[in-house]
Amino acid sequence: RGHVRFEGVRFGYDPDRTILDGLDLDVPAGATVAVVGPSGAGKSTLARLLYRFYDVGAGRITIDGQDIAQVTQGSLRAAIGIVPQDTVLFNDTIGYNIAYGREGADDDEVAQAARGAAIAGFIERQPDGYATRVGERGLKLSGGEKQRVAIARTLLKNPPILILDEATSALDSRTEADILATLEAVERGRTTIVIAHRLSTIVAADRIVVLDQGRVAEQGSHAELLRAG
Ligand code: ADP
Ligand code: ADP
């Protein structure tokens, strides 16, 4: 499960300004689709609509054929994990910050979450084991490490659909590519929408969608888009 479709979606924050202009987008269950395009194209807006921070003006968005307008907020939020660009961590340990991804997580779950994240490469292992890092306070982390914590936290709720909303765009391109490669390695089969800036870092996506002025300007594989110039 996790087949996402935007069908003729129209949306504007203000009635006199259209942001999404009849957007059609099909993300097959389990696929990784990257959405790129100039700043202001509407990339974050489509993520917010999928999560129903806002309702569409016209058209519809479905998950596995069901209009999200008919789904309860609770089940929609259980189905979708969003990792935003700027992660704010609690001034607490990495383990706590990850386990916060699930309400009411106890100490065992905190430790388990952190270990899972470490094994998956979301937290760098230290020579003396992951435990020191897990017990370390999050505020000392680099930008890349913070985003790994944010991704690990979101994955803990095991959403069928994962959205990285410019989650790696502010990082240097090598760190971005590293994080996306980690995800690719451990997250096969989860529907993933990667909103990104740099075409170069998203080679692994099944499909790349170029958004411009609220419409799909082009889509295809990385190689196809490079060929099209
Ligand atoms: P992108 O993610 O592609 O950079 P966004 O979806 O963030 O683009 O924004 C698309 C357009 O919507 C931009 O022109 C932006 O200024 C406008 N916009 C974004 N959020 C709001 C908001 N909360 N209220 C009004 N306009 C907004
Ligand atoms: P949950 O449903 O998992 O308890 P929330 O509904 O509060 O948590 O948020 C789910 C995800 O959406 C979190 O990863 C959070 O960082 C992200 N999020 C919350 N508000 C916004 C927002 N305004 N823009 C982008 N992402 C957001």
Side-chain angles (χ1 to χ4, degrees):
R1 69 198 198 91
H3 178 189
V4 175
R5 279 190 74 153
F6 285 65
E7 298 169 31
V9 170
R10 227 169 262 286
F11 175 77
Y13 294 95
D14 307 306
D16 56 347
R17 190 163 165 242
T18 301
I19 303 294
L20 296 183
D21 185 17
L23 178 72
D24 292 310
L25 182 66
D26 189 349
V27 185
T32 295
V33 168
V35 180
V36 299
S39 179
K43 303 184 296 294
S44 292
T45 299
L46 74 84
R48 292 183 201 125
L49 292 178
L50 181 56
Y51 208 63
R52 274 197 77 194
F53 286 131
Y54 299 93
D55 285 315
V56 299
R60 61 179 205 148
I61 301 172
T62 62
I63 296 177
D64 298 325
Q66 193 175 21
D67 191 330
I68 63 167
Q70 323 286 295
V71 174
T72 64
Q73 196 79 321
S75 61
L76 189 62
R77 294 194 172 189
I80 301 170
I82 300 187
V83 183
Q85 175 163 354
D86 299 307
T87 294
V88 179
L89 297 181
F90 296 101
N91 183 19
D92 207 302
T93 63
I94 296 172
Y96 177 83
N97 270 288
I98 292 173
Y100 172 74
R102 186 150 68 225
E103 243 170 80
D106 61 22
D107 287 352
D108 281 351
E109 279 181 305
V110 171
Q112 208 181 353
R115 186 165 55 218
I119 290 167
F122 284 116
I123 297 173
E124 279 171 44
R125 282 161 188 272
Q126 296 296 298
D128 51 351
Y130 70 88
T132 48
R133 293 296 274 170
V134 166
E136 199 170 293
R137 289 188 176 263
L139 296 183
K140 281 195 227 148
L141 302 181
S142 69
E145 288 169 328
K146 276 187 190 164
Q147 292 307 82
R148 283 176 189 266
V149 169
I151 292 169
R153 169 162 72 197
T154 303
L155 293 178
L156 185 63
K157 80 172 187 179
N158 200 21
I161 300 161
L162 176 67
I163 304 173
L164 302 189
D165 185 2
E166 308 261 20
T168 52
S169 299
L171 307 173
D172 63 86
S173 54
R174 178 154 168 224
T175 305
E176 176 172 52
D178 275 355
I179 291 178
L180 295 179
T182 303
L183 258 186
E184 166 78 7
V186 300
E187 289 300 311
R188 289 218 142 275
R190 194 188 306 272
T191 305
T192 306
I193 300 175
V194 180
I195 296 174
H197 271 340
R198 288 168 287 223
L199 202 52
S200 58
T201 50
I202 49 177
V203 182
D206 298 308
R207 183 152 35 107
I208 297 167
V209 172
V210 181
L211 204 65
D212 193 16
Q213 296 185 22
R215 306 191 70 127
V216 174
E218 292 183 78
Q219 55 182 313
S221 67
H222 193 258
E224 282 165 353
L225 289 185
L226 285 184
R227 227 175 294 135

XYZ file of all heavy atoms in Angstrom, residues 106-175:
522
model
N 8.792 3.927 25.807
C 9.472 3.780 27.098
C 10.979 3.641 26.882
O 11.463 3.682 25.755
C 8.896 2.595 27.890
C 9.068 1.277 27.155
O 9.951 1.196 26.281
O 8.313 0.331 27.465
N 11.709 3.469 27.971
C 13.173 3.442 27.881
C 13.692 2.348 26.945
O 14.640 2.557 26.196
C 13.794 3.227 29.275
C 13.670 4.481 30.118
O 13.243 5.539 29.571
O 13.974 4.423 31.322
N 13.024 1.166 27.015
C 13.444 0.078 26.139
C 13.277 0.470 24.672
O 14.126 0.175 23.839
C 12.594 -1.178 26.403
C 13.069 -1.900 27.658
O 14.136 -1.508 28.187
O 12.364 -2.822 28.103
N 12.152 1.110 24.393
C 11.891 1.507 23.004
C 12.880 2.578 22.550
O 13.290 2.609 21.393
C 10.461 2.023 22.860
C 9.461 0.901 22.726
C 8.056 1.439 22.556
O 7.621 2.232 23.426
O 7.415 1.091 21.577
N 13.235 3.459 23.475
C 14.221 4.492 23.164
C 15.527 3.821 22.740
O 16.108 4.138 21.696
C 14.481 5.411 24.379
C 15.660 6.341 24.110
C 13.234 6.231 24.693
N 15.961 2.836 23.539
C 17.225 2.162 23.251
C 17.132 1.380 21.947
O 18.048 1.397 21.118
C 17.590 1.231 24.402
N 15.995 0.716 21.757
C 15.798 -0.089 20.545
C 15.769 0.788 19.295
O 16.367 0.463 18.274
C 14.470 -0.839 20.679
C 14.452 -2.124 19.904
C 13.096 -2.811 20.046
O 12.237 -2.376 20.822
N 12.907 -3.859 19.296
N 15.070 1.920 19.424
C 14.970 2.853 18.296
C 16.350 3.352 17.917
O 16.721 3.405 16.743
C 14.077 4.036 18.675
N 17.118 3.685 18.926
C 18.445 4.231 18.669
C 19.349 3.177 18.049
O 20.115 3.453 17.125
C 19.041 4.758 19.964
N 19.219 1.931 18.521
C 20.056 0.866 17.965
C 19.680 0.605 16.511
O 20.542 0.481 15.647
C 19.926 -0.412 18.785
C 20.911 -1.470 18.290
C 21.084 -2.601 19.274
N 19.808 -3.198 19.601
C 19.457 -3.638 20.798
N 20.303 -3.559 21.799
N 18.277 -4.166 21.009
N 18.378 0.553 16.267
C 17.917 0.348 14.888
C 18.437 1.451 13.975
O 18.909 1.186 12.869
N 18.374 2.670 14.477
C 18.833 3.810 13.679
C 20.334 3.720 13.426
O 20.823 4.060 12.351
C 18.496 5.114 14.392
N 21.065 3.241 14.427
C 22.517 3.135 14.290
C 22.870 2.067 13.259
O 23.707 2.275 12.378
C 23.158 2.795 15.637
N 22.181 0.933 13.353
C 22.460 -0.154 12.421
C 22.151 0.289 11.000
O 22.879 -0.003 10.067
C 21.645 -1.413 12.805
C 22.199 -1.989 14.110
C 21.692 -2.456 11.693
C 21.316 -3.021 14.756
N 21.079 1.039 10.875
C 20.692 1.493 9.543
C 21.614 2.604 9.039
O 21.489 3.052 7.920
C 19.251 1.992 9.566
N 22.523 3.037 9.884
C 23.457 4.068 9.450
C 22.941 5.471 9.653
O 23.519 6.428 9.157
N 21.839 5.612 10.375
C 21.301 6.948 10.587
C 22.021 7.690 11.695
O 21.908 8.885 11.830
C 19.795 6.908 10.865
C 19.021 6.662 9.624
C 18.267 5.527 9.456
C 19.068 7.573 8.586
C 17.567 5.295 8.283
C 18.382 7.360 7.415
C 17.627 6.217 7.265
N 22.706 6.941 12.532
C 23.566 7.572 13.521
C 24.945 6.970 13.312
O 25.080 5.751 13.226
C 23.105 7.265 14.957
C 21.712 7.835 15.187
C 24.088 7.856 15.970
C 21.146 7.416 16.521
N 25.950 7.819 13.245
C 27.280 7.286 13.014
C 27.751 6.492 14.221
O 27.567 6.897 15.355
C 28.249 8.422 12.738
C 28.143 8.879 11.296
C 28.925 10.142 11.040
O 30.055 10.215 11.521
O 28.369 11.020 10.372
N 28.366 5.349 13.939
C 28.937 4.563 15.018
C 30.233 5.211 15.470
O 31.019 5.685 14.665
C 29.279 3.162 14.523
C 28.103 2.253 14.411
C 28.490 1.118 13.484
N 27.340 0.299 13.169
C 26.947 -0.730 13.912
N 27.599 -1.043 15.002
N 25.898 -1.427 13.567
N 30.451 5.179 16.740
C 31.707 5.671 17.303
C 32.556 4.450 17.656
O 32.024 3.349 17.793
C 31.416 6.492 18.557
C 30.604 7.729 18.257
C 31.348 8.707 17.368
O 32.391 9.216 17.734
N 30.818 8.942 16.167
N 33.874 4.641 17.831
C 34.743 3.499 18.163
C 34.235 2.744 19.398
O 34.339 1.514 19.449
C 36.092 4.161 18.455
C 36.058 5.449 17.725
C 34.627 5.878 17.642
N 33.682 3.460 20.357
C 33.215 2.783 21.571
C 31.736 2.421 21.479
O 31.073 2.242 22.485
C 33.489 3.647 22.806
C 32.980 5.067 22.648
O 32.567 5.408 21.519
O 32.972 5.815 23.623
N 31.214 2.333 20.267
C 29.836 1.881 20.116
C 28.873 3.040 19.993
O 29.224 4.189 20.223
N 27.660 2.717 19.608
C 26.684 3.781 19.364
C 26.179 4.405 20.648
O 25.639 5.490 20.655
C 25.511 3.233 18.549
C 24.645 2.277 19.329
C 23.590 2.758 20.082
C 24.891 0.908 19.317
C 22.808 1.891 20.819
C 24.128 0.048 20.051
C 23.088 0.537 20.805
O 22.327 -0.299 21.545
N 26.346 3.697 21.771
C 25.666 4.125 22.987
C 26.061 5.534 23.424
O 25.228 6.302 23.886
C 25.940 3.145 24.121
N 27.320 5.864 23.254
C 27.712 7.207 23.682
C 27.010 8.264 22.853
O 26.568 9.278 23.368
C 29.237 7.408 23.553
O 29.615 6.963 22.269
C 29.987 6.643 24.625
N 26.913 7.975 21.548
C 26.227 8.944 20.696
C 24.741 9.010 21.034
O 24.168 10.080 21.059
C 26.385 8.546 19.222
C 27.774 8.638 18.712
C 28.282 10.042 18.725
N 27.903 10.768 17.520
C 28.075 12.078 17.378
N 28.579 12.787 18.362
N 27.724 12.664 16.265
N 24.179 7.875 21.300
C 22.750 7.843 21.610
C 22.460 8.636 22.881
O 21.447 9.312 22.996
C 22.272 6.377 21.746
C 20.900 6.313 22.383
C 22.256 5.732 20.377
N 23.408 8.560 23.827
C 23.213 9.280 25.072
C 23.635 10.738 25.012
O 23.410 11.504 25.935
N 24.214 11.100 23.847
C 24.692 12.473 23.716
C 23.530 13.417 23.434
O 22.571 13.042 22.771
C 25.665 12.509 22.535
C 26.589 13.683 22.508
C 27.649 13.468 21.437
O 28.480 12.557 21.594
O 27.600 14.184 20.439
N 23.648 14.630 23.901
C 22.571 15.584 23.637
C 22.593 16.044 22.178
O 23.647 16.298 21.615
C 22.673 16.769 24.590
C 22.294 16.342 25.980
C 22.187 17.481 26.954
N 21.728 16.923 28.217
C 20.455 16.933 28.613
N 19.543 17.515 27.875
N 20.106 16.378 29.737
N 21.379 16.120 21.614
C 21.235 16.372 20.182
C 21.755 17.706 19.691
O 22.077 17.868 18.525
N 21.851 18.671 20.581
C 22.190 20.012 20.112
C 23.607 20.112 19.573
O 23.935 21.032 18.856
C 21.989 21.037 21.245
C 20.532 21.174 21.698
C 20.404 22.252 22.757
C 19.619 21.496 20.516
N 24.436 19.115 19.901
C 25.823 19.177 19.428
C 25.975 18.576 18.038
O 27.072 18.583 17.500
C 26.728 18.392 20.390
C 27.086 19.152 21.649
C 28.265 18.461 22.333
C 27.995 18.307 23.813
N 28.618 17.104 24.363
N 24.928 18.023 17.480
C 25.055 17.318 16.207
C 25.248 18.276 15.044
O 24.810 19.427 15.073
C 23.796 16.481 15.953
C 23.456 15.441 17.011
C 22.206 14.694 16.598
C 24.607 14.486 17.231
N 25.883 17.754 14.004
C 25.991 18.512 12.752
C 24.626 18.527 12.064
O 23.724 17.758 12.425
C 27.010 17.845 11.839
O 26.491 16.609 11.386
N 24.510 19.366 11.058
C 23.254 19.432 10.308
C 22.863 18.086 9.719
O 21.702 17.676 9.785
N 23.846 17.368 9.183
C 23.571 16.066 8.577
C 23.114 15.052 9.612
O 22.191 14.268 9.380
N 23.764 15.076 10.784
C 23.379 14.144 11.849
C 21.973 14.460 12.368
O 21.180 13.555 12.632
C 24.402 14.211 12.994
C 25.742 13.573 12.628
C 26.833 13.855 13.639
O 26.841 14.934 14.258
O 27.699 12.995 13.804
N 21.670 15.734 12.479
C 20.312 16.115 12.917
C 19.255 15.579 11.957
O 18.215 15.075 12.383
C 20.177 17.645 12.966
C 20.684 18.242 14.245
C 20.367 19.721 14.319
C 21.110 20.313 15.490
N 21.193 21.768 15.455
N 19.555 15.682 10.652
C 18.569 15.214 9.689
C 18.452 13.690 9.718
O 17.386 13.133 9.508
C 18.890 15.726 8.280
C 18.716 17.234 8.130
C 17.361 17.748 8.568
O 17.108 17.971 9.750
N 16.441 17.927 7.640
N 19.547 13.013 10.034
C 19.468 11.554 10.193
C 18.593 11.192 11.396
O 17.794 10.253 11.338
C 20.860 10.946 10.355
C 21.616 10.841 9.045
C 23.035 10.327 9.253
N 23.811 10.430 8.023
C 23.947 9.436 7.136
N 23.393 8.265 7.357
N 24.633 9.614 6.037
N 18.748 11.947 12.455
C 17.894 11.717 13.627
C 16.427 11.957 13.257
O 15.540 11.171 13.603
C 18.319 12.628 14.809
C 17.273 12.601 15.925
C 19.684 12.194 15.352
N 16.185 13.027 12.504
C 14.804 13.342 12.115
C 14.209 12.237 11.246
O 13.041 11.863 11.397
C 14.767 14.678 11.375
N 15.026 11.687 10.342
C 14.538 10.606 9.482
C 14.282 9.352 10.322
O 13.233 8.709 10.201
C 15.535 10.322 8.336
C 15.574 11.514 7.375
C 15.130 9.048 7.583
C 16.716 11.457 6.357
N 15.230 9.036 11.209
C 15.065 7.852 12.062
C 13.810 7.980 12.917
O 13.059 7.014 13.095
C 16.298 7.673 12.947
N 13.559 9.163 13.420
C 12.369 9.410 14.244
C 11.096 9.177 13.436
O 10.145 8.554 13.902
C 12.413 10.864 14.748
C 11.129 11.328 15.386
C 11.370 12.563 16.219
N 11.628 13.754 15.430
C 12.172 14.867 15.925
N 12.530 14.943 17.187
N 12.365 15.913 15.158
N 11.099 9.670 12.213
C 9.908 9.514 11.376
C 9.711 8.055 10.979
O 8.583 7.559 10.957
C 10.030 10.420 10.139
O 10.202 11.761 10.592
C 8.795 10.339 9.268
N 10.811 7.341 10.705
C 10.694 5.934 10.307
C 10.186 5.062 11.443
O 9.584 4.011 11.209
C 12.036 5.407 9.798
C 12.517 6.024 8.488
C 13.877 5.457 8.109
C 11.505 5.772 7.374
N 10.419 5.494 12.678
C 9.976 4.704 13.827
C 8.460 4.514 13.824
O 7.954 3.512 14.296
C 10.422 5.383 15.138
C 10.140 4.627 16.426
C 10.891 3.306 16.464
C 10.508 5.473 17.635
N 7.742 5.466 13.262
C 6.286 5.282 13.214
C 5.875 4.429 12.018
O 4.713 4.136 11.828
C 5.545 6.615 13.319
C 5.450 7.440 12.083
C 4.506 8.660 12.319
C 4.258 9.406 11.024
N 3.365 10.558 11.166
N 6.875 4.015 11.238
C 6.689 3.069 10.139
C 5.587 3.480 9.157
O 4.697 2.681 8.848
C 6.397 1.674 10.715
C 6.675 0.584 9.692
O 7.417 0.807 8.735
N 6.067 -0.565 9.878
N 5.652 4.707 8.651
C 4.603 5.155 7.727
C 4.773 4.515 6.357
O 5.905 4.407 5.875
C 4.855 6.671 7.634
C 6.334 6.810 7.847
C 6.712 5.721 8.822
N 3.686 4.092 5.719
C 3.814 3.555 4.357
C 4.328 4.604 3.360
O 4.876 4.253 2.321
C 2.389 3.137 3.991
C 1.577 3.227 5.230
C 2.326 4.011 6.261
N 4.115 5.880 3.709
C 4.530 6.963 2.805
C 5.475 7.893 3.549
O 5.154 8.373 4.643
C 3.301 7.765 2.312
C 2.347 6.843 1.551
C 3.726 8.954 1.446
C 0.937 7.397 1.425
N 6.630 8.122 2.951
C 7.626 9.004 3.561
C 7.863 10.196 2.636
O 8.082 10.029 1.440
C 8.943 8.230 3.745
C 10.134 9.022 4.292
C 9.894 9.443 5.743
C 11.417 8.198 4.185
N 7.794 11.396 3.213
C 8.076 12.603 2.432
C 9.290 13.294 3.029
O 9.283 13.635 4.218
C 6.888 13.596 2.464
C 5.609 12.935 1.974
C 7.215 14.840 1.625
C 4.371 13.809 2.150
N 10.318 13.474 2.215
C 11.443 14.300 2.646
C 11.241 15.665 1.993
O 11.391 15.803 0.777
C 12.780 13.706 2.202
C 13.133 12.290 2.648
C 14.583 11.973 2.303
C 12.918 12.093 4.140
N 10.828 16.633 2.784
C 10.518 17.955 2.245
C 11.754 18.837 2.364
O 11.920 19.548 3.339
C 9.330 18.570 2.971
C 8.908 19.897 2.341
O 9.517 20.301 1.332
O 7.978 20.533 2.869
N 12.620 18.770 1.358
C 13.904 19.478 1.370
C 14.720 19.087 2.595
O 15.502 19.878 3.113
C 13.687 21.005 1.379
C 12.766 21.500 0.281
C 13.508 22.062 -0.919
O 14.688 21.737 -1.086
O 12.879 22.793 -1.704
N 14.500 17.861 3.071
C 15.143 17.431 4.317
C 16.659 17.417 4.210
O 17.347 17.538 5.216
C 14.636 16.045 4.718
N 17.172 17.269 2.990
C 18.624 17.201 2.832
C 19.152 18.344 1.972
O 20.352 18.403 1.687
C 19.019 15.851 2.180
O 18.250 15.674 0.991
C 18.740 14.682 3.113
N 18.288 19.260 1.576
C 18.687 20.292 0.604
C 19.680 21.299 1.161
O 20.457 21.893 0.425
C 17.455 21.040 0.087
O 16.592 20.140 -0.554
N 19.634 21.507 2.489
C 20.525 22.512 3.075
C 21.917 21.943 3.363
O 22.816 22.682 3.740
C 19.910 23.074 4.353
N 22.062 20.634 3.189
C 23.346 19.992 3.500
C 24.265 20.063 2.282
O 23.804 20.281 1.161
C 23.099 18.533 3.888
C 22.066 18.331 5.006
C 21.777 16.854 5.201
C 22.547 18.960 6.307
N 25.543 19.838 2.495
C 26.437 19.784 1.342
C 26.050 18.562 0.508
O 25.449 17.614 1.011
C 27.902 19.739 1.786
C 28.208 18.495 2.567
O 28.515 17.470 1.945
O 28.104 18.537 3.808
N 26.404 18.584 -0.771
C 25.834 17.581 -1.673
C 26.331 16.175 -1.339
O 25.611 15.200 -1.554
C 26.105 17.935 -3.129
O 27.472 18.130 -3.339
N 27.533 16.065 -0.759
C 28.026 14.728 -0.415
C 27.218 14.142 0.739
O 26.832 12.968 0.715
C 29.512 14.829 -0.067
C 30.032 13.518 0.339
C 31.510 13.326 0.129
N 31.844 12.102 0.853
C 32.893 11.965 1.626
N 33.744 12.962 1.755
N 33.083 10.840 2.251
N 26.946 14.964 1.767
C 26.140 14.499 2.896
C 24.729 14.153 2.423
O 24.154 13.141 2.820
C 26.083 15.590 3.993
O 27.420 15.932 4.347
C 25.337 15.104 5.222
